[in-house]
Amino acid sequence: MARAESSRWHAIHVRARFERVVALRLQDKVEESYLPLRRVVGPHHNSIHVPLFPGYVFCKCPSSVLPSLFMVPGVLSAIVGESIGGIPEREIISLRRIVTAAVHSQSRPFKAEDEYAGNLIVWEALPITGN
């Protein structure tokens, strides 16, 4: 009897401004989808929620399901981490804690000429720690 493949978290690169649509459509195809949002206050003091990572949605599924996700409108590619092992569960849990705590954050677009391009960046002092 074949052993069932375990589900892991993966980052899905999506078309600009399609994050919510893709997250909604993924709900039928994967075990769980997650779109971390941050609150932004506009010039008229109204607030909206925008993706914390523009262009990305996280999903929990076996790696074998990833190719079928390309049929979802707006999906561009799958970012496979840790040699197809996916994103560790603890990273998603930490991300959820940060989002839930409403820690101030802002998006910054990646540019190839950035001084940190290609380097591993480690945040050592996060405001939230624990088990």
Side-chain angles (χ1 to χ4, degrees), residues 69-83:
L69 301 184
F70 291 104
M71 300 303 291
V72 174
V75 171
L76 300 175
S77 63
I79 311 301
V80 180
E82 296 207 6
S83 301

Side-chain angles (χ1 to χ4, degrees), residues 9-14 55-57 66 70 77-82 86-87:
W9 284 97
H10 301 278
I12 307 298
H13 183 214
V14 302
Y56 293 92
V57 174
L66 291 175
F70 291 104
S77 63
I79 311 301
V80 180
E82 296 207 6
I87 299 168

